[in-house]
Amino acid sequence: MPIETGAVSPSVNGRPATEIASEPRRGTRPADPYDLIGVGFGPSNLALAIAAEELDPGRSCLFLERNTGVRWHPGMLLEGARMQISYLKDLVSLRNLASPYTFLSYLKAKGRLEKFINVGANRPTRLEYQDYLSWVSEHFGHVVRYESEVVAVVPVAGPDSETLDLLRVRVRDARSGEVHDLYARNVVHAGGGTPRRGAPGQICDASSVIHSSAFLSGFPERFPDHEAALDLGVVGDGQSAAEITAHMLNHYPNARVHLFVPGYALRATDNNPFVNEQFYQHNAGEFYAAEARRRAVLRSELRNTNYGAVEAGYLDDLYDLTYADEVRGTPRLVVHRASDVTRVVEDAGRLSVEVRDRTGGPDRTTSCDGLVLATGYTRQLNTAVFGDLSPLLRHDDSGELLVSADCRVRTDERFTAGFYVQGYAESAYGIGDTLLSLLPFRSQQIFDDIRGRLPAAHPVAVGLYPPSQYVEKDPERIRSVMERFNFATVISADRDARVLVTHVPLVVDRDRGGEHGMLIGHLDRSNPQVELLSDRPVTIVFHGPNSYLSPDALKADKLPTWNSMSVHVHGHARLFSSRDELMRVFDGLCEQAEPEPGSYRLRPDDERIDQLIGHVIGFEVDIHELTGRFKLSQESDEANRELAAADMARDMTAEQQSFIERAFDLTPRSDVLEPLSGPGTGGCPVGGMRTGGRATAEESERQTAR
């Protein structure tokens, strides 16, 4: 097989990338591939995305999903249908209980944790689990592209490589139809199964023949009259077949339901705790390590834990439903035992279902109005997508993929990129390969293997942020921003990761605390953030001046940008409520805001202060870390930096003054002393009096503690 080389020309929104930026986007050329591209974004690759973020967030990952969002068996989200596993077997709990993406974290975020506990259910409904998956996926929007269908995965050689060390992933945008190429060192395929409909020509392709994967979206639409006297058929003997049968009996009261099962009757799943130990991480590893004959025997022995069986309690409910029909004298469920559906044809708007008796009895035919195939899925690589890769993949004597313990497919020595599969190697991993129970462990195994195989020269650390040129090192300049722009944002997080934010003026106290000094301020006692400032860490942000910088203001051909100055403070807070300490806050705020001699000062004996103190509480913050983020056109030459500084320092525009007038609901007044000059002021006292001006006696009496 010849080694393919070369790169595609990257584009952004139909324009050449060179017109957008100096560097193409990650993954659009062999020289800058993704560490990992995941095909599909269902539970398996969603668990992998969590593992990548928690184990090594510096790796470059992208997931491609053909649907508009995470869709987990949407055709079977039947009302009341429950999961067959514990809520603790979510995407991450068994690997990392402290993860923010556990099912319990989801319940807490949704405000349902106490109610879920009160319900006493160990197994959530299928609908709630789908909502959990959607909630998790919302946190990973930056690493997934929806409506992106993978149409080909091709092994290629990277720059100066003598082996096929990359995979080119061809992607079709479902909205525009455009096709583009991406490159990755590793691809993890978790695209799910293909609905099983029987051999070609065996079952007709009629709108009244619906696979269980499309039951909710297709069946009610095809049969909207729930009161009609219909003959409805269900093929299968697993959980889906039982649930669909019950749904038909409950929602189509005048219908007769034909259930075609290959055995004598529906059977209960073997989910006793001893058998379920097969899903322990250690036992799954032992299964993989066993020789092939032993694995085959164990798979056959454990088959009824997942295939061709129904949860025992659900069987009881279904039988009660059919017994109630018997009592009413209107039996509606017909079980066709030992039946293999060999052919389905459409005749005059109805379906003719031909059945072979597996016990040797006569073949028979049943007429139905509609038929649902609860016949499961096939798990094989799509040759149209992986045709160029398949010749390099190794198989055993039975044609099954040969895989490592870490889900990597074994390949020809010419191919050195990583190709991993999730849900396509049951013969190697056991029944749990397609189930949810082992996802937390499997995702770590895959990601650890990928990390261990990446080239040593590949950078793993994310870039510094903020960029070093924007980090202010001079503590004096940093403090000057804090003092001049002291209306700050105080940020706290409680133990449930709920973030509380308050905007308050603060005093910079340089004479107390450590090398960076302290901050003091006060809050309303009813503010819920008060409790989070009692001997707790806190983050505070000071917002300095900021302004849009137009290219027209510079003597250079640059894109527009935004210059700004801010200070981030990390420290430890404590509360206080004594009058003396609160007076220090009040006095400090006045002095910091009006430092000029003769400016307003509080009178310590002012009775209004005592009334105020009962409603506020003070806090101080011992500053542990200061970070000045000064983005001031540092990348420009000195002349353009001077122009940028002048642009930021311009006086307030007429439009800005007009905005403030509207915000204050002010009208022009003729009695204002020395109004601000300039266009747009209109005599309105925006900005107040000039320094040294005096308020009238009446206004002075109305002043209160700041």
Side-chain angles (χ1 to χ4, degrees), residues 193-474:
T194 302
R196 183 185 287 116
R197 292 182 60 94
Q202 178 184 2
I203 297 177
C204 64
D205 188 19
S207 62
S208 53
V209 179
I210 298 169
H211 191 268
S212 60
S213 60
F215 177 70
L216 279 183
S217 60
F219 194 86
E221 181 180 347
R222 179 62 180 79
F223 299 99
D225 185 359
H226 286 232
E227 301 299 323
L230 300 169
D231 279 293
L232 303 175
V234 180
V235 181
D237 59 352
Q239 185 72 26
S240 295
E243 291 179 0
I244 290 171
T245 299
H247 182 88
M248 289 176 172
L249 292 172
N250 282 318
H251 290 80
Y252 294 83
N254 298 316
R256 181 168 51 180
V257 180
H258 300 266
L259 178 59
F260 301 93
V261 296
Y264 179 79
L266 295 174
R267 294 173 297 176
T269 55
D270 186 358
N271 59 357
N272 76 77
F274 291 98
V275 170
N276 274 340
E277 287 189 353
Q278 68 169 304
F279 301 118
Y280 288 2
Q281 179 188 21
H282 174 74
N283 292 342
E286 283 191 345
F287 181 95
Y288 173 83
E291 56 97 18
R293 182 181 177 184
R294 177 177 172 80
R295 291 201 305 267
V297 171
L298 289 175
R299 282 180 67 196
S300 177
E301 176 73 17
L302 298 170
R303 179 175 175 78
N304 65 341
T305 62
N306 185 54
Y307 299 115
V310 184
E311 195 270 324
Y314 200 88
L315 281 179
D316 292 339
D317 294 340
L318 179 58
Y319 197 83
D320 287 345
L321 179 61
T322 61
Y323 182 74
D325 283 345
E326 295 278 353
V327 172
R328 286 189 292 266
T330 55
R332 295 181 296 144
L333 178 63
V334 181
V335 178
H336 298 259
R337 310 183 193 279
S339 297
D340 276 342
V341 175
T342 57
R343 190 163 178 258
V344 177
V345 296
E346 190 174 24
D347 183 17
R350 285 173 64 84
L351 300 173
S352 180
V353 182
E354 301 177 11
V355 176
R356 179 180 68 85
D357 191 305
R358 301 181 75 239
T359 64
D363 294 347
R364 55 193 184 275
T365 300
T366 301
S367 182
C368 292
D369 296 288
L371 187 70
V372 176
L373 305 175
T375 47
Y377 301 82
T378 58
R379 298 271 181 165
Q380 294 178 337
L381 296 182
N382 187 332
T383 54
V385 176
F386 299 101
D388 290 317
L389 178 62
S390 292
L392 298 171
L393 306 180
R394 294 181 178 176
H395 300 76
D396 62 18
D397 294 338
S398 62
E400 300 286 345
L401 288 172
L402 286 173
V403 289
S404 72
D406 305 310
C407 300
R408 184 186 177 203
V409 181
R410 301 193 186 281
T411 62
D412 185 288
E413 62 183 9
R414 293 172 295 168
F415 178 68
T416 57
F419 180 62
Y420 300 76
V421 290
Q422 299 202 68
Y424 292 83
E426 186 178 295
S427 62
Y429 303 126
I431 302 296
D433 182 46
T434 60
L435 305 182
L436 299 171
S437 297
L438 295 171
L439 292 189
F441 306 120
R442 189 168 70 194
S443 60
Q444 177 164 359
Q445 287 177 297
I446 293 173
F447 193 68
D448 282 346
D449 191 62
I450 288 175
R451 286 195 297 171
R453 294 179 50 260
L454 287 174
H458 183 64
V460 299
V462 296
L464 293 175
Y465 187 83
S468 58
Q469 68 267 30
Y470 298 150
V471 177
E472 179 55 54
K473 304 279 196 306
D474 186 348

Side-chain angles (χ1 to χ4, degrees), residues 469-470 547-550 554 558-559 561-564 630-645 647-648:
Q469 68 267 30
Y470 298 150
S547 69
Y548 171 78
L549 180 60
S550 169
L554 305 176
K558 290 183 175 293
L559 291 172
T561 189
W562 207 283
N563 279 334
S564 64
F630 291 13
K631 183 180 180 298
L632 302 173
S633 298
Q634 285 92 336
E635 68 282 355
S636 299
D637 57 35
E638 194 65 25
N640 278 300
R641 289 203 70 204
E642 290 180 1
L643 292 172
D647 190 69
M648 177 178 276

